[in-house]
Amino acid sequence: AQSVTQLDSQVPVFEEAPVELRCNYSSSVSVYLFWYVQYPNQGLQLLLKYLSGSTLVKGINGFEAEFNKSQTSFHLRKPSVHISDTAEYFCAVTRTGTASKLTFGTGTRLQVTL
Amino acid sequence: DVKVTQSSRYLVKRTGEKVFLECVQDMDHENMFWYRQDPGLGLRLIYFSYDVKMKEKGDIPEGYSVSREKKERFSLILESASTNQTSMYLCASSLAEYEKLFFGSGTQLSVL
């Protein structure tokens, strides 16, 4: 079975600063990886996904993530955050061949302040 | 855009009651899912369905059942609600394998 670890439960950052949200996964087989974001009082929405090809994946709202197979990581980055990026971010993984049965991490709360 | 609608935003029930959580999607998606979200635990998959009348257990199906009689509707049933089922319940749908999930806004269920 696969699992996901999000190492930081909360990440405080000042506006316009860079941010990295960490995600590590565990699986004995090939995986697909996803980042979802949940804004306050809203449902989750997809930020980006890695299925194959380039290991650097660009998503919406200026976010990007890099798949690193040797380190089993899929860290999310943004070079300059905005107040509106305040939200909870979830990393998710699924084994190839298991359709959309995602396993989610415990989430990282990104708090952007002035 | 795809809309996933959950029937109630907040729900309060008593221990032992039978509870129905309804979810409707409007884009003819094949796949539908029920997750529960708890602080510090993230999202955990309860049940999912790939087609009408088809269902598969997720990671935490105990105490729950589901029904999918029509493609657009996926219901989660708590046969006898217990206090440990107090949680945020999220419904999601997707068009195909590995396509993104579209989530509803969630139902916060409190079981007293």
Side-chain angles (χ1 to χ4, degrees):
Chain A
Q2 69 268 20
S3 66
V4 175
T5 302
Q6 292 185 246
L7 297 165
D8 306 298
S9 60
Q10 295 188 63
V11 173
V13 63
F14 291 111
E15 191 175 40
E16 297 183 3
V19 70
E20 177 179 85
L21 305 184
R22 296 180 292 169
C23 172
N24 286 87
Y25 69 91
S26 174
S27 176
S28 58
V29 297
S30 296
V31 297
Y32 297 144
L33 293 152
F34 304 78
W35 275 99
Y36 280 82
V37 60
Q38 185 177 34
Y39 298 106
N41 298 313
Q42 294 185 29
L44 280 77
Q45 56 184 281
L46 182 69
L47 268 181
L48 47 80
K49 63 181 179 182
Y50 171 77
L51 300 184
S52 63
S54 172
T55 57
L56 184 62
V57 180
K58 294 191 182 296
I60 62 172
N61 300 338
F63 284 93
E64 63 181 32
E66 186 157 20
F67 171 58
N68 188 320
K69 189 174 182 180
S70 63
Q71 296 188 8
T72 59
S73 68
F74 191 54
H75 300 334
L76 181 71
R77 302 185 183 99
K78 187 170 182 177
S80 176
V81 296
H82 190 267
I83 288 283
S84 60
D85 292 323
T86 294
E88 188 142 23
Y89 293 78
F90 293 93
C91 183
V93 63
T94 184
R95 291 178 296 158
T96 60
T98 56
S100 300
K101 186 180 174 183
L102 293 181
T103 297
F104 284 84
T106 53
T108 297
R109 170 89 179 148
L110 177 64
Q111 182 68 51
V112 182
T113 54
L114 294 172
Chain B
D1 204 3
V2 176
K3 192 168 183 181
V4 179
T5 303
Q6 295 185 231
S7 53
S8 305
R9 184 75 178 97
Y10 299 96
L11 209 53
V12 180
K13 296 293 181 180
R14 298 242 178 240
T15 304
E17 278 193 78
K18 190 169 186 176
V19 181
F20 293 87
L21 302 183
E22 305 287 344
C23 175
V24 178
Q25 50 94 3
D26 66 357
M27 281 297 290
D28 204 35
H29 281 179
E30 301 289 335
N31 310 312
M32 296 189 74
F33 308 82
W34 276 107
Y35 286 88
R36 63 177 284 178
Q37 181 179 10
D38 300 287
L41 296 178
L43 278 74
R44 292 177 291 167
L45 182 63
I46 304 171
Y47 267 97
F48 58 106
S49 168
Y50 292 127
D51 201 351
V52 175
K53 297 189 186 294
M54 302 290 286
K55 61 185 179 184
E56 287 195 35
K57 293 180 180 179
D59 299 317
I60 52 164
E62 296 78 19
Y64 303 94
S65 61
V66 291
S67 172
R68 194 169 181 197
E69 296 296 320
K70 293 185 178 181
K71 193 174 187 180
E72 67 270 19
R73 187 179 297 269
F74 192 36
S75 302
L76 180 69
I77 303 155
L78 288 66
E79 295 289 341
S80 177
S82 63
T83 54
N84 63 13
Q85 293 178 309
T86 291
S87 185
M88 172 67 80
Y89 289 87
L90 297 175
C91 176
S93 71
S94 70
L95 179 61
E97 289 187 352
Y98 313 123
E99 290 297 319
K100 69 177 180 179
L101 299 182
F102 290 86
F103 282 85
S105 297
T107 296
Q108 178 63 53
L109 173 67
S110 297
V111 182
L112 306 177

